[in-house]
Amino acid sequence: LIALIGTYTSMGSADFSGAYRVQKTNKNKLIKDLIAQGALNDYSVDGLSQLIGYQSRTSFYSAFKEVEGMSFSEYRDTLSSSH
């Protein structure tokens, strides 16, 4: 995969990994902002994750945990306890 990326882009493996992590971080921020605005009242977690570009709930949950250091369920529980 890294060789393919290097062939078709000017990115090395570290650049690609960093850009990919930034993308996941931005998606997590977006979904957290949407949740703060009440989007879970209108959309399921599946719907929100697809809306911001994840192909499956599993990929969303994995990316969320990697970036945030907690599962989405744990994050949602912190919102419930703060209200």
Side-chain angles (χ1 to χ4, degrees):
L1 178 62
I2 297 302
L4 185 64
I5 292 166
T7 300
Y8 292 100
T9 72
S10 61
M11 290 183 170
S13 62
D15 294 334
F16 178 77
S17 295
Y20 185 67
R21 185 165 174 82
V22 166
Q23 180 185 18
K24 287 193 289 188
T25 300
N26 289 341
K27 285 182 177 182
N28 278 10
K29 182 179 179 338
L30 177 58
I31 204 158
K32 288 167 65 177
D33 289 347
L34 290 170
I35 291 167
Q37 295 172 21
L40 282 177
N41 296 329
D42 299 321
Y43 294 94
S44 66
V45 174
D46 286 341
L48 281 178
S49 63
Q50 289 178 4
L51 183 68
I52 63 169
Y54 287 101
Q55 298 299 313
S56 70
R57 178 182 356 166
T58 303
S59 61
F60 163 69
Y61 285 149
S62 295
F64 191 92
K65 186 167 188 169
E66 180 183 333
V67 172
E68 299 300 326
M70 70 174 82
S71 71
F72 183 74
S73 296
E74 292 169 329
Y75 173 73
R76 195 168 39 193
D77 289 346
T78 65
L79 295 177
S80 299
S81 65
S82 66
H83 289 116

